[in-house]
Amino acid sequence: MLSDSFQRLPSHIQQDVLDSLDEEIRIGFQVSEEASADEKTSPEKSRQLADRIVKSLALRNSFTGESVTSPRDLGIGKRK
């Protein structure tokens, strides 16, 4: 269920916002996976990447009322 304030936006703006957040989340997960594979990545950098993903997910969830927690919830990434 969309939040009341988000629902008042024109549908094309809602879609643009969600598409942008989905892309931010997708990129965040991709960069995080790449950083995890690189032993030179500092713990601080890893935390920053995780925070970026969490913030984008929380914002998206607050708009939509969904409980998206992973890229697969958005149809992103490999399916097993």
Side-chain angles (χ1 to χ4, degrees):
M1 176 181 195
L2 297 176
S3 73
D4 290 339
S5 57
F6 190 67
Q7 208 167 21
R8 286 192 293 266
L9 294 170
S11 61
H12 71 279
I13 302 239
Q14 290 177 25
Q15 193 59 54
D16 285 349
V17 168
L18 293 177
D19 288 348
S20 294
L21 284 169
D22 290 350
E23 182 67 5
E24 178 73 15
I25 293 164
R26 184 192 66 75
I27 290 170
F29 276 110
Q30 179 181 357
V31 169
S32 180
E33 286 176 7
E34 291 169 0
S36 294
D38 183 354
E39 59 190 43
K40 295 178 187 176
T41 302
S42 70
E44 178 63 24
K45 180 67 174 176
S46 294
R47 276 192 300 279
Q48 289 172 349
L49 292 169
D51 287 347
R52 175 179 163 185
I53 294 166
V54 168
K55 288 175 184 175
S56 296
L57 284 168
L59 184 57
R60 188 186 196 289
N61 290 343
S62 73
F63 287 153
T64 64
E66 296 173 346
S67 183
V68 174
T69 59
S70 77
R72 281 192 199 89
D73 293 341
L74 299 171
I76 299 169
K78 299 175 185 172
R79 300 219 184 250
K80 292 184 179 182

